[in-house]
PDB file of all heavy atoms in Angstrom:
ATOM      1  N   ILE A  62       0.838  -1.204   0.000  1.00 97.00           N
ATOM      2  CA  ILE A  62       0.000   0.000   0.000  1.00 97.00           C
ATOM      3  C   ILE A  62       0.870   1.251   0.000  1.00 97.00           C
ATOM      4  O   ILE A  62       0.624   2.198  -0.747  1.00 97.00           O
ATOM      5  CB  ILE A  62      -0.947  -0.001   1.214  1.00 97.00           C
ATOM      6  CG1 ILE A  62      -1.994  -1.115   1.075  1.00 97.00           C
ATOM      7  CG2 ILE A  62      -1.642   1.352   1.372  1.00 97.00           C
ATOM      8  CD1 ILE A  62      -2.784  -1.376   2.344  1.00 97.00           C
ATOM      9  N   ARG A  63       1.921   1.240   0.817  1.00 96.00           N
ATOM     10  CA  ARG A  63       2.757   2.441   0.957  1.00 96.00           C
ATOM     11  C   ARG A  63       3.595   2.741  -0.290  1.00 96.00           C
ATOM     12  O   ARG A  63       4.118   3.841  -0.422  1.00 96.00           O
ATOM     13  CB  ARG A  63       3.662   2.317   2.184  1.00 96.00           C
ATOM     14  CG  ARG A  63       2.932   2.615   3.484  1.00 96.00           C
ATOM     15  CD  ARG A  63       2.548   4.098   3.590  1.00 96.00           C
ATOM     16  NE  ARG A  63       1.707   4.363   4.765  1.00 96.00           N
ATOM     17  CZ  ARG A  63       0.416   4.587   4.716  1.00 96.00           C
ATOM     18  NH1 ARG A  63      -0.218   4.577   3.547  1.00 96.00           N
ATOM     19  NH2 ARG A  63      -0.280   4.835   5.799  1.00 96.00           N
ATOM     20  N   THR A  64       3.726   1.794  -1.207  1.00 95.00           N
ATOM     21  CA  THR A  64       4.443   2.101  -2.444  1.00 95.00           C
ATOM     22  C   THR A  64       3.643   3.030  -3.344  1.00 95.00           C
ATOM     23  O   THR A  64       4.207   3.686  -4.211  1.00 95.00           O
ATOM     24  CB  THR A  64       4.773   0.820  -3.237  1.00 95.00           C
ATOM     25  OG1 THR A  64       3.553   0.159  -3.618  1.00 95.00           O
ATOM     26  CG2 THR A  64       5.636  -0.131  -2.416  1.00 95.00           C
ATOM     27  N   LYS A  65       2.311   3.091  -3.118  1.00 95.00           N
ATOM     28  CA  LYS A  65       1.461   3.878  -4.009  1.00 95.00           C
ATOM     29  C   LYS A  65       0.512   4.827  -3.288  1.00 95.00           C
ATOM     30  O   LYS A  65      -0.105   5.676  -3.929  1.00 95.00           O
ATOM     31  CB  LYS A  65       0.634   2.947  -4.902  1.00 95.00           C
ATOM     32  CG  LYS A  65       1.467   2.071  -5.823  1.00 95.00           C
ATOM     33  CD  LYS A  65       0.581   1.194  -6.689  1.00 95.00           C
ATOM     34  CE  LYS A  65       1.413   0.335  -7.628  1.00 95.00           C
ATOM     35  NZ  LYS A  65       0.562  -0.550  -8.472  1.00 95.00           N
ATOM     36  N   SER A  66       0.360   4.697  -1.979  1.00 94.00           N
ATOM     37  CA  SER A  66      -0.673   5.474  -1.298  1.00 94.00           C
ATOM     38  C   SER A  66      -0.243   5.872   0.108  1.00 94.00           C
ATOM     39  O   SER A  66       0.476   5.132   0.787  1.00 94.00           O
ATOM     40  CB  SER A  66      -1.965   4.653  -1.211  1.00 94.00           C
ATOM     41  OG  SER A  66      -2.947   5.310  -0.426  1.00 94.00           O
ATOM     42  N   THR A  67      -0.703   7.059   0.540  1.00 92.00           N
ATOM     43  CA  THR A  67      -0.488   7.513   1.920  1.00 92.00           C
ATOM     44  C   THR A  67      -1.789   7.444   2.719  1.00 92.00           C
ATOM     45  O   THR A  67      -1.915   8.094   3.754  1.00 92.00           O
ATOM     46  CB  THR A  67       0.047   8.959   1.949  1.00 92.00           C
ATOM     47  OG1 THR A  67      -0.882   9.825   1.282  1.00 92.00           O
ATOM     48  CG2 THR A  67       1.406   9.061   1.283  1.00 92.00           C
ATOM     49  N   MET A  68      -2.755   6.660   2.248  1.00 94.00           N
ATOM     50  CA  MET A  68      -4.018   6.536   2.972  1.00 94.00           C
ATOM     51  C   MET A  68      -3.761   6.079   4.406  1.00 94.00           C
ATOM     52  O   MET A  68      -2.806   5.340   4.677  1.00 94.00           O
ATOM     53  CB  MET A  68      -4.945   5.533   2.273  1.00 94.00           C
ATOM     54  CG  MET A  68      -4.516   4.078   2.417  1.00 94.00           C
ATOM     55  SD  MET A  68      -5.644   2.898   1.632  1.00 94.00           S
ATOM     56  CE  MET A  68      -7.130   3.146   2.603  1.00 94.00           C
ATOM     57  N   PRO A  69      -4.588   6.513   5.362  1.00 96.00           N
ATOM     58  CA  PRO A  69      -4.409   6.067   6.744  1.00 96.00           C
ATOM     59  C   PRO A  69      -4.550   4.556   6.871  1.00 96.00           C
ATOM     60  O   PRO A  69      -5.451   3.955   6.273  1.00 96.00           O
ATOM     61  CB  PRO A  69      -5.534   6.781   7.494  1.00 96.00           C
ATOM     62  CG  PRO A  69      -5.882   7.953   6.655  1.00 96.00           C
ATOM     63  CD  PRO A  69      -5.675   7.505   5.238  1.00 96.00           C
ATOM     64  N   VAL A  70      -3.650   3.951   7.628  1.00 97.00           N
ATOM     65  CA  VAL A  70      -3.677   2.504   7.867  1.00 97.00           C
ATOM     66  C   VAL A  70      -3.521   2.251   9.352  1.00 97.00           C
ATOM     67  O   VAL A  70      -2.589   2.760   9.996  1.00 97.00           O
ATOM     68  CB  VAL A  70      -2.560   1.778   7.097  1.00 97.00           C
ATOM     69  CG1 VAL A  70      -2.555   0.285   7.456  1.00 97.00           C
ATOM     70  CG2 VAL A  70      -2.731   1.951   5.588  1.00 97.00           C
ATOM     71  N   LEU A  71      -4.436   1.462   9.903  1.00 97.00           N
ATOM     72  CA  LEU A  71      -4.411   1.060  11.308  1.00 97.00           C
ATOM     73  C   LEU A  71      -4.118  -0.437  11.352  1.00 97.00           C
ATOM     74  O   LEU A  71      -4.783  -1.219  10.672  1.00 97.00           O
ATOM     75  CB  LEU A  71      -5.762   1.365  11.961  1.00 97.00           C
ATOM     76  CG  LEU A  71      -5.952   1.008  13.431  1.00 97.00           C
ATOM     77  CD1 LEU A  71      -5.023   1.826  14.316  1.00 97.00           C
ATOM     78  CD2 LEU A  71      -7.403   1.239  13.846  1.00 97.00           C
ATOM     79  N   MET A  72      -3.117  -0.838  12.133  1.00 96.00           N
ATOM     80  CA  MET A  72      -2.744  -2.246  12.212  1.00 96.00           C
ATOM     81  C   MET A  72      -3.358  -2.914  13.445  1.00 96.00           C
ATOM     82  O   MET A  72      -3.426  -2.300  14.521  1.00 96.00           O
ATOM     83  CB  MET A  72      -1.221  -2.389  12.289  1.00 96.00           C
ATOM     84  CG  MET A  72      -0.454  -1.766  11.141  1.00 96.00           C
ATOM     85  SD  MET A  72      -0.793  -2.515   9.530  1.00 96.00           S
ATOM     86  CE  MET A  72      -0.105  -4.157   9.755  1.00 96.00           C
ATOM     87  N   LEU A  73      -3.784  -4.154  13.282  1.00 95.00           N
ATOM     88  CA  LEU A  73      -4.219  -4.986  14.403  1.00 95.00           C
ATOM     89  C   LEU A  73      -3.072  -5.933  14.718  1.00 95.00           C
ATOM     90  O   LEU A  73      -2.685  -6.746  13.870  1.00 95.00           O
ATOM     91  CB  LEU A  73      -5.481  -5.777  14.040  1.00 95.00           C
ATOM     92  CG  LEU A  73      -6.734  -4.954  13.732  1.00 95.00           C
ATOM     93  CD1 LEU A  73      -7.878  -5.880  13.306  1.00 95.00           C
ATOM     94  CD2 LEU A  73      -7.157  -4.130  14.940  1.00 95.00           C
ATOM     95  N   THR A  74      -2.487  -5.819  15.905  1.00 91.00           N
ATOM     96  CA  THR A  74      -1.312  -6.614  16.251  1.00 91.00           C
ATOM     97  C   THR A  74      -1.599  -7.484  17.464  1.00 91.00           C
ATOM     98  O   THR A  74      -2.489  -7.193  18.260  1.00 91.00           O
ATOM     99  CB  THR A  74      -0.112  -5.704  16.572  1.00 91.00           C
ATOM    100  OG1 THR A  74      -0.377  -4.965  17.773  1.00 91.00           O
ATOM    101  CG2 THR A  74       0.153  -4.719  15.446  1.00 91.00           C
ATOM    102  N   ALA A  75      -0.820  -8.568  17.598  1.00 85.00           N
ATOM    103  CA  ALA A  75      -0.941  -9.415  18.780  1.00 85.00           C
ATOM    104  C   ALA A  75      -0.490  -8.634  19.998  1.00 85.00           C
ATOM    105  O   ALA A  75       0.497  -7.898  19.943  1.00 85.00           O
ATOM    106  CB  ALA A  75      -0.096 -10.668  18.609  1.00 85.00           C
ATOM    107  N   ARG A  76      -1.221  -8.756  21.071  1.00 72.00           N
ATOM    108  CA  ARG A  76      -0.882  -8.015  22.284  1.00 72.00           C
ATOM    109  C   ARG A  76       0.522  -8.398  22.759  1.00 72.00           C
ATOM    110  O   ARG A  76       0.853  -9.568  22.874  1.00 72.00           O
ATOM    111  CB  ARG A  76      -1.903  -8.314  23.389  1.00 72.00           C
ATOM    112  CG  ARG A  76      -1.738  -7.436  24.624  1.00 72.00           C
ATOM    113  CD  ARG A  76      -2.883  -7.661  25.600  1.00 72.00           C
ATOM    114  NE  ARG A  76      -4.163  -7.263  25.040  1.00 72.00           N
ATOM    115  CZ  ARG A  76      -4.629  -6.021  25.026  1.00 72.00           C
ATOM    116  NH1 ARG A  76      -3.898  -5.049  25.527  1.00 72.00           N
ATOM    117  NH2 ARG A  76      -5.815  -5.755  24.512  1.00 72.00           N
ATOM    118  N   GLY A  77       1.349  -7.393  22.988  1.00 71.00           N
ATOM    119  CA  GLY A  77       2.695  -7.640  23.475  1.00 71.00           C
ATOM    120  C   GLY A  77       3.710  -7.916  22.388  1.00 71.00           C
ATOM    121  O   GLY A  77       4.891  -8.095  22.678  1.00 71.00           O
ATOM    122  N   ASP A  78       3.291  -7.952  21.102  1.00 73.00           N
ATOM    123  CA  ASP A  78       4.228  -8.224  20.012  1.00 73.00           C
ATOM    124  C   ASP A  78       4.828  -6.906  19.526  1.00 73.00           C
ATOM    125  O   ASP A  78       4.351  -6.292  18.580  1.00 73.00           O
ATOM    126  CB  ASP A  78       3.509  -8.943  18.865  1.00 73.00           C
ATOM    127  CG  ASP A  78       4.495  -9.525  17.863  1.00 73.00           C
ATOM    128  OD1 ASP A  78       5.636  -9.023  17.811  1.00 73.00           O
ATOM    129  OD2 ASP A  78       4.128 -10.464  17.142  1.00 73.00           O
ATOM    130  N   ASP A  79       5.885  -6.486  20.188  1.00 83.00           N
ATOM    131  CA  ASP A  79       6.498  -5.198  19.860  1.00 83.00           C
ATOM    132  C   ASP A  79       7.157  -5.206  18.487  1.00 83.00           C
ATOM    133  O   ASP A  79       7.228  -4.163  17.832  1.00 83.00           O
ATOM    134  CB  ASP A  79       7.530  -4.814  20.921  1.00 83.00           C
ATOM    135  CG  ASP A  79       6.891  -4.457  22.245  1.00 83.00           C
ATOM    136  OD1 ASP A  79       5.707  -4.065  22.240  1.00 83.00           O
ATOM    137  OD2 ASP A  79       7.553  -4.580  23.293  1.00 83.00           O
ATOM    138  N   THR A  80       7.655  -6.351  18.051  1.00 89.00           N
ATOM    139  CA  THR A  80       8.368  -6.403  16.767  1.00 89.00           C
ATOM    140  C   THR A  80       7.455  -6.032  15.616  1.00 89.00           C
ATOM    141  O   THR A  80       7.760  -5.131  14.822  1.00 89.00           O
ATOM    142  CB  THR A  80       8.962  -7.804  16.534  1.00 89.00           C
ATOM    143  OG1 THR A  80       9.871  -8.118  17.594  1.00 89.00           O
ATOM    144  CG2 THR A  80       9.710  -7.838  15.208  1.00 89.00           C
ATOM    145  N   ASP A  81       6.303  -6.713  15.498  1.00 88.00           N
ATOM    146  CA  ASP A  81       5.354  -6.402  14.422  1.00 88.00           C
ATOM    147  C   ASP A  81       4.861  -4.970  14.529  1.00 88.00           C
ATOM    148  O   ASP A  81       4.670  -4.277  13.529  1.00 88.00           O
ATOM    149  CB  ASP A  81       4.158  -7.352  14.467  1.00 88.00           C
ATOM    150  CG  ASP A  81       4.495  -8.736  13.919  1.00 88.00           C
ATOM    151  OD1 ASP A  81       5.504  -8.848  13.184  1.00 88.00           O
ATOM    152  OD2 ASP A  81       3.771  -9.683  14.219  1.00 88.00           O
ATOM    153  N   ARG A  82       4.659  -4.520  15.739  1.00 90.00           N
ATOM    154  CA  ARG A  82       4.152  -3.175  15.980  1.00 90.00           C
ATOM    155  C   ARG A  82       5.137  -2.129  15.459  1.00 90.00           C
ATOM    156  O   ARG A  82       4.775  -1.210  14.716  1.00 90.00           O
ATOM    157  CB  ARG A  82       3.936  -2.999  17.476  1.00 90.00           C
ATOM    158  CG  ARG A  82       3.189  -1.770  17.882  1.00 90.00           C
ATOM    159  CD  ARG A  82       2.875  -1.865  19.362  1.00 90.00           C
ATOM    160  NE  ARG A  82       2.080  -3.051  19.655  1.00 90.00           N
ATOM    161  CZ  ARG A  82       1.916  -3.583  20.855  1.00 90.00           C
ATOM    162  NH1 ARG A  82       2.512  -3.035  21.894  1.00 90.00           N
ATOM    163  NH2 ARG A  82       1.166  -4.645  21.027  1.00 90.00           N
ATOM    164  N   ILE A  83       6.404  -2.282  15.822  1.00 93.00           N
ATOM    165  CA  ILE A  83       7.420  -1.307  15.417  1.00 93.00           C
ATOM    166  C   ILE A  83       7.677  -1.382  13.921  1.00 93.00           C
ATOM    167  O   ILE A  83       7.804  -0.347  13.254  1.00 93.00           O
ATOM    168  CB  ILE A  83       8.718  -1.531  16.217  1.00 93.00           C
ATOM    169  CG1 ILE A  83       8.482  -1.153  17.686  1.00 93.00           C
ATOM    170  CG2 ILE A  83       9.863  -0.713  15.638  1.00 93.00           C
ATOM    171  CD1 ILE A  83       9.619  -1.511  18.613  1.00 93.00           C
ATOM    172  N   VAL A  84       7.742  -2.588  13.372  1.00 94.00           N
ATOM    173  CA  VAL A  84       7.946  -2.726  11.922  1.00 94.00           C
ATOM    174  C   VAL A  84       6.806  -2.061  11.163  1.00 94.00           C
ATOM    175  O   VAL A  84       7.024  -1.355  10.171  1.00 94.00           O
ATOM    176  CB  VAL A  84       8.070  -4.218  11.524  1.00 94.00           C
ATOM    177  CG1 VAL A  84       8.021  -4.371  10.003  1.00 94.00           C
ATOM    178  CG2 VAL A  84       9.364  -4.804  12.053  1.00 94.00           C
ATOM    179  N   GLY A  85       5.581  -2.254  11.626  1.00 94.00           N
ATOM    180  CA  GLY A  85       4.428  -1.632  10.980  1.00 94.00           C
ATOM    181  C   GLY A  85       4.516  -0.117  11.001  1.00 94.00           C
ATOM    182  O   GLY A  85       4.280   0.544   9.987  1.00 94.00           O
ATOM    183  N   LEU A  86       4.888   0.439  12.148  1.00 95.00           N
ATOM    184  CA  LEU A  86       5.025   1.893  12.257  1.00 95.00           C
ATOM    185  C   LEU A  86       6.150   2.401  11.369  1.00 95.00           C
ATOM    186  O   LEU A  86       6.041   3.449  10.734  1.00 95.00           O
ATOM    187  CB  LEU A  86       5.275   2.296  13.711  1.00 95.00           C
ATOM    188  CG  LEU A  86       4.116   2.067  14.687  1.00 95.00           C
ATOM    189  CD1 LEU A  86       4.569   2.313  16.121  1.00 95.00           C
ATOM    190  CD2 LEU A  86       2.924   2.948  14.348  1.00 95.00           C
ATOM    191  N   GLU A  87       7.248   1.662  11.309  1.00 95.00           N
ATOM    192  CA  GLU A  87       8.377   2.072  10.471  1.00 95.00           C
ATOM    193  C   GLU A  87       8.012   2.053   8.991  1.00 95.00           C
ATOM    194  O   GLU A  87       8.546   2.842   8.203  1.00 95.00           O
ATOM    195  CB  GLU A  87       9.577   1.158  10.725  1.00 95.00           C
ATOM    196  CG  GLU A  87      10.238   1.381  12.077  1.00 95.00           C
ATOM    197  CD  GLU A  87      11.363   0.408  12.351  1.00 95.00           C
ATOM    198  OE1 GLU A  87      11.390  -0.674  11.732  1.00 95.00           O
ATOM    199  OE2 GLU A  87      12.215   0.724  13.198  1.00 95.00           O
ATOM    200  N   LEU A  88       7.097   1.164   8.616  1.00 95.00           N
ATOM    201  CA  LEU A  88       6.672   1.086   7.215  1.00 95.00           C
ATOM    202  C   LEU A  88       5.590   2.103   6.878  1.00 95.00           C
ATOM    203  O   LEU A  88       5.186   2.218   5.725  1.00 95.00           O
ATOM    204  CB  LEU A  88       6.172  -0.322   6.897  1.00 95.00           C
ATOM    205  CG  LEU A  88       7.241  -1.410   6.806  1.00 95.00           C
ATOM    206  CD1 LEU A  88       6.597  -2.775   6.619  1.00 95.00           C
ATOM    207  CD2 LEU A  88       8.212  -1.133   5.667  1.00 95.00           C
ATOM    208  N   GLY A  89       5.104   2.831   7.893  1.00 95.00           N
ATOM    209  CA  GLY A  89       4.146   3.892   7.607  1.00 95.00           C
ATOM    210  C   GLY A  89       2.747   3.672   8.128  1.00 95.00           C
ATOM    211  O   GLY A  89       1.827   4.390   7.740  1.00 95.00           O
ATOM    212  N   ALA A  90       2.548   2.687   9.035  1.00 96.00           N
ATOM    213  CA  ALA A  90       1.235   2.557   9.665  1.00 96.00           C
ATOM    214  C   ALA A  90       0.983   3.792  10.526  1.00 96.00           C
ATOM    215  O   ALA A  90       1.900   4.346  11.129  1.00 96.00           O
ATOM    216  CB  ALA A  90       1.166   1.296  10.533  1.00 96.00           C
ATOM    217  N   ASP A  91      -0.260   4.241  10.586  1.00 95.00           N
ATOM    218  CA  ASP A  91      -0.593   5.426  11.368  1.00 95.00           C
ATOM    219  C   ASP A  91      -0.710   5.122  12.850  1.00 95.00           C
ATOM    220  O   ASP A  91      -0.398   5.957  13.684  1.00 95.00           O
ATOM    221  CB  ASP A  91      -1.892   6.044  10.842  1.00 95.00           C
ATOM    222  CG  ASP A  91      -1.693   6.648   9.470  1.00 95.00           C
ATOM    223  OD1 ASP A  91      -1.284   7.811   9.398  1.00 95.00           O
ATOM    224  OD2 ASP A  91      -1.916   5.948   8.466  1.00 95.00           O
ATOM    225  N   ASP A  92      -1.161   3.927  13.167  1.00 95.00           N
ATOM    226  CA  ASP A  92      -1.274   3.535  14.566  1.00 95.00           C
ATOM    227  C   ASP A  92      -1.570   2.045  14.599  1.00 95.00           C
ATOM    228  O   ASP A  92      -1.677   1.388  13.553  1.00 95.00           O
ATOM    229  CB  ASP A  92      -2.379   4.335  15.267  1.00 95.00           C
ATOM    230  CG  ASP A  92      -2.159   4.447  16.778  1.00 95.00           C
ATOM    231  OD1 ASP A  92      -1.212   3.814  17.295  1.00 95.00           O
ATOM    232  OD2 ASP A  92      -2.938   5.155  17.434  1.00 95.00           O
ATOM    233  N   TYR A  93      -1.709   1.498  15.785  1.00 94.00           N
ATOM    234  CA  TYR A  93      -2.005   0.081  15.943  1.00 94.00           C
ATOM    235  C   TYR A  93      -2.985  -0.100  17.085  1.00 94.00           C
ATOM    236  O   TYR A  93      -3.116   0.750  17.969  1.00 94.00           O
ATOM    237  CB  TYR A  93      -0.723  -0.707  16.218  1.00 94.00           C
ATOM    238  CG  TYR A  93      -0.095  -0.338  17.540  1.00 94.00           C
ATOM    239  CD1 TYR A  93      -0.463  -0.986  18.718  1.00 94.00           C
ATOM    240  CD2 TYR A  93       0.848   0.685  17.615  1.00 94.00           C
ATOM    241  CE1 TYR A  93       0.083  -0.621  19.928  1.00 94.00           C
ATOM    242  CE2 TYR A  93       1.397   1.058  18.832  1.00 94.00           C
ATOM    243  CZ  TYR A  93       1.024   0.393  19.975  1.00 94.00           C
ATOM    244  OH  TYR A  93       1.548   0.762  21.185  1.00 94.00           O
ATOM    245  N   VAL A  94      -3.695  -1.228  17.061  1.00 94.00           N
ATOM    246  CA  VAL A  94      -4.546  -1.632  18.177  1.00 94.00           C
ATOM    247  C   VAL A  94      -4.187  -3.074  18.503  1.00 94.00           C
ATOM    248  O   VAL A  94      -4.235  -3.937  17.618  1.00 94.00           O
ATOM    249  CB  VAL A  94      -6.047  -1.539  17.817  1.00 94.00           C
ATOM    250  CG1 VAL A  94      -6.897  -2.072  18.962  1.00 94.00           C
ATOM    251  CG2 VAL A  94      -6.437  -0.114  17.506  1.00 94.00           C
ATOM    252  N   PRO A  95      -3.790  -3.359  19.736  1.00 91.00           N
ATOM    253  CA  PRO A  95      -3.457  -4.747  20.087  1.00 91.00           C
ATOM    254  C   PRO A  95      -4.709  -5.609  20.196  1.00 91.00           C
ATOM    255  O   PRO A  95      -5.741  -5.160  20.699  1.00 91.00           O
ATOM    256  CB  PRO A  95      -2.740  -4.610  21.439  1.00 91.00           C
ATOM    257  CG  PRO A  95      -3.207  -3.309  22.000  1.00 91.00           C
ATOM    258  CD  PRO A  95      -3.524  -2.417  20.843  1.00 91.00           C
ATOM    259  N   LYS A  96      -4.618  -6.853  19.691  1.00 89.00           N
ATOM    260  CA  LYS A  96      -5.720  -7.803  19.813  1.00 89.00           C
ATOM    261  C   LYS A  96      -5.489  -8.665  21.046  1.00 89.00           C
ATOM    262  O   LYS A  96      -4.344  -8.952  21.389  1.00 89.00           O
ATOM    263  CB  LYS A  96      -5.795  -8.685  18.556  1.00 89.00           C
ATOM    264  CG  LYS A  96      -6.158  -7.924  17.294  1.00 89.00           C
ATOM    265  CD  LYS A  96      -6.061  -8.792  16.046  1.00 89.00           C
ATOM    266  CE  LYS A  96      -7.150  -9.839  15.999  1.00 89.00           C
ATOM    267  NZ  LYS A  96      -7.102 -10.593  14.727  1.00 89.00           N
ATOM    268  N   PRO A  97      -6.575  -9.135  21.697  1.00 86.00           N
ATOM    269  CA  PRO A  97      -7.970  -8.862  21.321  1.00 86.00           C
ATOM    270  C   PRO A  97      -8.372  -7.432  21.685  1.00 86.00           C
ATOM    271  O   PRO A  97      -7.960  -6.909  22.716  1.00 86.00           O
ATOM    272  CB  PRO A  97      -8.756  -9.872  22.156  1.00 86.00           C
ATOM    273  CG  PRO A  97      -7.891 -10.123  23.353  1.00 86.00           C
ATOM    274  CD  PRO A  97      -6.472 -10.018  22.877  1.00 86.00           C
ATOM    275  N   CYS A  98      -9.175  -6.838  20.805  1.00 89.00           N
ATOM    276  CA  CYS A  98      -9.645  -5.480  21.056  1.00 89.00           C
ATOM    277  C   CYS A  98     -11.166  -5.466  21.027  1.00 89.00           C
ATOM    278  O   CYS A  98     -11.795  -6.348  20.439  1.00 89.00           O
ATOM    279  CB  CYS A  98      -9.094  -4.508  20.001  1.00 89.00           C
ATOM    280  SG  CYS A  98      -9.683  -4.825  18.322  1.00 89.00           S
ATOM    281  N   THR A  99     -11.748  -4.485  21.650  1.00 93.00           N
ATOM    282  CA  THR A  99     -13.196  -4.357  21.626  1.00 93.00           C
ATOM    283  C   THR A  99     -13.599  -3.531  20.403  1.00 93.00           C
ATOM    284  O   THR A  99     -12.833  -2.673  19.938  1.00 93.00           O
ATOM    285  CB  THR A  99     -13.714  -3.658  22.896  1.00 93.00           C
ATOM    286  OG1 THR A  99     -13.225  -2.302  22.909  1.00 93.00           O
ATOM    287  CG2 THR A  99     -13.240  -4.386  24.142  1.00 93.00           C
ATOM    288  N   PRO A 100     -14.783  -3.763  19.860  1.00 95.00           N
ATOM    289  CA  PRO A 100     -15.257  -2.937  18.741  1.00 95.00           C
ATOM    290  C   PRO A 100     -15.279  -1.457  19.091  1.00 95.00           C
ATOM    291  O   PRO A 100     -14.978  -0.614  18.252  1.00 95.00           O
ATOM    292  CB  PRO A 100     -16.670  -3.467  18.497  1.00 95.00           C
ATOM    293  CG  PRO A 100     -16.658  -4.861  19.007  1.00 95.00           C
ATOM    294  CD  PRO A 100     -15.740  -4.833  20.188  1.00 95.00           C
ATOM    295  N   ARG A 101     -15.596  -1.126  20.333  1.00 95.00           N
ATOM    296  CA  ARG A 101     -15.636   0.275  20.747  1.00 95.00           C
ATOM    297  C   ARG A 101     -14.246   0.905  20.677  1.00 95.00           C
ATOM    298  O   ARG A 101     -14.086   2.042  20.242  1.00 95.00           O
ATOM    299  CB  ARG A 101     -16.193   0.360  22.170  1.00 95.00           C
ATOM    300  CG  ARG A 101     -16.346   1.785  22.674  1.00 95.00           C
ATOM    301  CD  ARG A 101     -16.969   1.789  24.059  1.00 95.00           C
ATOM    302  NE  ARG A 101     -17.136   3.147  24.558  1.00 95.00           N
ATOM    303  CZ  ARG A 101     -17.660   3.442  25.752  1.00 95.00           C
ATOM    304  NH1 ARG A 101     -18.073   2.451  26.543  1.00 95.00           N
ATOM    305  NH2 ARG A 101     -17.775   4.694  26.132  1.00 95.00           N
ATOM    306  N   GLU A 102     -13.236   0.165  21.130  1.00 94.00           N
ATOM    307  CA  GLU A 102     -11.871   0.684  21.096  1.00 94.00           C
ATOM    308  C   GLU A 102     -11.415   0.906  19.664  1.00 94.00           C
ATOM    309  O   GLU A 102     -10.821   1.939  19.336  1.00 94.00           O
ATOM    310  CB  GLU A 102     -10.917  -0.290  21.799  1.00 94.00           C
ATOM    311  CG  GLU A 102      -9.462   0.158  21.779  1.00 94.00           C
ATOM    312  CD  GLU A 102      -8.530  -0.879  22.389  1.00 94.00           C
ATOM    313  OE1 GLU A 102      -8.988  -2.002  22.679  1.00 94.00           O
ATOM    314  OE2 GLU A 102      -7.345  -0.557  22.556  1.00 94.00           O
TER     315      GLU A 102
END
């Protein structure tokens, strides 16, 4: 996505998985929500 677009991207990551979280942010994710997450969150 980031090769062609700057659209906002929110990542769903495993709770406590800092590696995927940081890699996602470094690649241009706007933010993350750790799973399991509530629909409200």
Side-chain angles (χ1 to χ4, degrees):
I62 292 168
R63 281 291 173 255
T64 62
K65 298 181 179 179
S66 173
T67 58
M68 72 178 296
V70 176
L71 179 65
M72 303 296 294
L73 297 177
T74 67
R76 188 173 296 277
D78 193 337
D79 290 336
T80 300
D81 284 341
R82 191 171 301 163
I83 291 172
V84 170
L86 293 172
E87 288 176 338
L88 288 175
D91 291 274
D92 205 354
Y93 65 88
V94 175
K96 294 173 70 175
C98 65
T99 65
R101 183 177 180 180
E102 179 184 8

